Amino acid sequence: MLGKTYLTKQASLLLEFARTTSDSDLSAKLISKAADLKSQADPLPDKDQGPRAPDVAFASPDAPTRR
């Protein structure tokens, strides 16, 4: 699944292209697609809420080892 940041960036780029083109039909299509991407991004969380890796304690190289 695509993330919110990616979808928002893509929508922003489409709007930028829509502003620079002189073709009104193309501009309207780009704006419509940007709106679709924005509506997909809105319900997504702002940050990755995936499972977290378990905490792992790393020993320093000069720490004594237990045996």
Side-chain angles (χ1 to χ4, degrees), residues 1 8 14 22 28 30 39 41-42 48 51-53 57:
M1 180 164 93
T8 303
L14 288 174
S22 59
L30 291 172
S39 68
D42 283 341
D48 181 15
R52 294 178 177 239

Side-chain angles (χ1 to χ4, degrees), residues 58-65:
F58 294 100
S60 66
D62 43 342
T65 58

Side-chain angles (χ1 to χ4, degrees), residues 2 10-11 14 16 19 21 25 28-29 32-33 38 40 45 48 50-51 55-56 61 67:
L2 300 175
Q10 294 304 308
L14 288 174
E16 185 178 329
R19 278 188 235 114
T21 186
D25 289 336
K29 289 176 184 176
S32 176
K33 184 59 180 172
K38 179 80 170 92
Q40 290 177 32
D48 181 15
D55 291 335
V56 178
R67 292 182 193 214

